[in-house]
Amino acid sequence: MDCPDIRDAFMKGEVPADADVAAHLKGCPQCSELFARDAELGRSLGTEGTVNMPFEDELFARLEDEVAQENGPRAWLRSRPTGLRFAVVAVSVLAAIGLGGFARLRADFSEYPMARLLLLLGVYAIAILLAFAKELYLSIRRGSLADHAGLLVGALGLPFLIAFAPATETSRHTGSGGALGCFGYGALLTLPTAALLWAFDRDDQPSLRTVCLSAVALGLSANFVLELHCPSGNASHLLLGHASIGVAWLAAWSMLRRSRSPNHLRK
């Protein structure tokens, strides 16, 4: 089953549905659009007929051209099942946490209140999982940005709120120095995850939803690592060196996706 076969089936008024079709759709985002919203676009091919479709040739020529361009390592990665892509991204985050956090624990770890640490890490973990799941697993492109506004605002603002939380006795007297080092440390450790998100992204047209979700997930991952690694409780240090990473990823991710399309980000 390939693109012309699916097109011909819709033109006959049929909605193809078998194992071959399902296998093809996993690696073909163009044909997947024909099946979106109960195959609304695909069904229109059969109901309107060829006479009333002046753009038919141009439409399928464009689709076939895009399919022909889907080759190489990144095309293979994008065609992987969603569950596998999510698992690989999750492993990359766990690797960053293990190497940057647990392998280099904060100096006051033995004296730091464990209940507070577990609470903060738990909140970070839940927000990270939600952001990555909505980006890779829950087909967010069919919703609007407003549907995820609560998660986006909360996840992006969470590190800023934590920065103003009362410092513990062990971190109360730390200064604001070293913020740049923490910023670079967190950004560098999440760089492999950012590369995977780019490689796995099936959306060729920039989407503001994926930009925001990717950025907040990366920022939260960096803050998770730094919560384990950095003993500072100084608000200025936490704002500049920790919380700002999510904002920086948002700016970087937006510029990257703008460079992939001459059009502005669509909502």
Side-chain angles (χ1 to χ4, degrees):
M1 180 64 68
D2 53 22
C3 298
D5 294 331
I6 291 178
R7 175 191 65 185
D8 293 342
F10 276 122
M11 293 295 294
K12 295 176 183 177
E14 303 171 357
V15 179
D18 54 34
D20 291 337
V21 173
H24 176 76
L25 294 181
K26 289 181 179 180
C28 183
Q30 288 75 31
C31 285
S32 296
E33 290 296 322
L34 297 175
F35 287 83
R37 298 175 293 280
D38 194 28
E40 178 183 352
L41 178 59
R43 292 176 191 273
S44 69
L45 300 180
T47 57
E48 295 184 17
T50 56
V51 176
N52 296 323
M53 295 181 63
F55 302 107
E56 178 194 354
D57 293 336
E58 292 83 352
L59 171 64
F60 283 101
R62 179 173 59 82
L63 288 176
E64 290 172 356
D65 181 63
E66 291 179 357
V67 171
Q69 294 179 18
E70 283 291 312
N71 53 64
R74 185 168 180 238
W76 183 84
L77 289 172
R78 293 170 65 173
S79 68
R80 297 307 89 195
T82 300
L84 177 60
R85 293 184 297 128
F86 178 82
V88 172
V89 170
V91 168
S92 73
V93 173
L94 292 175
I97 292 172
L99 294 174
F102 287 106
R104 302 185 64 183
L105 288 172
R106 53 194 298 156
D108 64 344
F109 183 78
S110 60
E111 302 172 354
Y112 194 83
M114 191 54 59
R116 174 182 171 128
L117 179 64
L118 292 177
L119 176 61
L120 291 177
L121 295 183
V123 171
Y124 276 135
I126 292 173
I128 291 169
L129 287 175
L130 284 174
F132 279 133
K134 285 182 176 291
E135 162 62 5
L136 294 171
Y137 197 72
L138 299 182
S139 302
I140 64 169
R141 293 172 182 83
R142 297 183 184 180
S144 67
L145 180 64
D147 295 334
H148 313 284
L151 172 63
L152 294 172
V153 173
L156 191 63
L158 179 62
F160 289 90
L161 293 176
I162 292 176
F164 289 106
T168 64
E169 188 63 35
T170 60
S171 60
R172 182 168 299 165
H173 303 295
T174 54
S176 60
L180 183 60
C182 276
F183 179 92
Y185 188 72
L188 182 63
L189 285 169
T190 51
L191 185 59
T193 302
L196 285 173
L197 288 174
W198 172 81
F200 284 146
D201 188 6
R202 292 173 175 172
D203 190 7
D204 287 324
Q205 298 300 319
S207 166
L208 188 57
R209 295 181 298 270
T210 55
V211 165
C212 293
L213 285 168
S214 299
V216 299
L218 292 169
L220 289 170
S221 299
N223 276 267
F224 190 110
V225 172
L226 292 172
E227 186 65 36
L228 288 168
H229 171 71
C230 176
S232 178
N234 182 275
S236 297
H237 174 95
L238 296 176
L239 289 172
L240 296 174
H242 297 209
S244 62
I245 296 177
V247 177
W249 271 122
L250 179 59
W253 207 248
S254 298
M255 289 189 291
L256 173 64
R257 294 183 68 85
R258 279 183 180 276
S259 70
R260 293 169 57 188
S261 172
N263 302 319
H264 59 78
L265 291 175
R266 61 179 175 84
K267 297 183 179 179

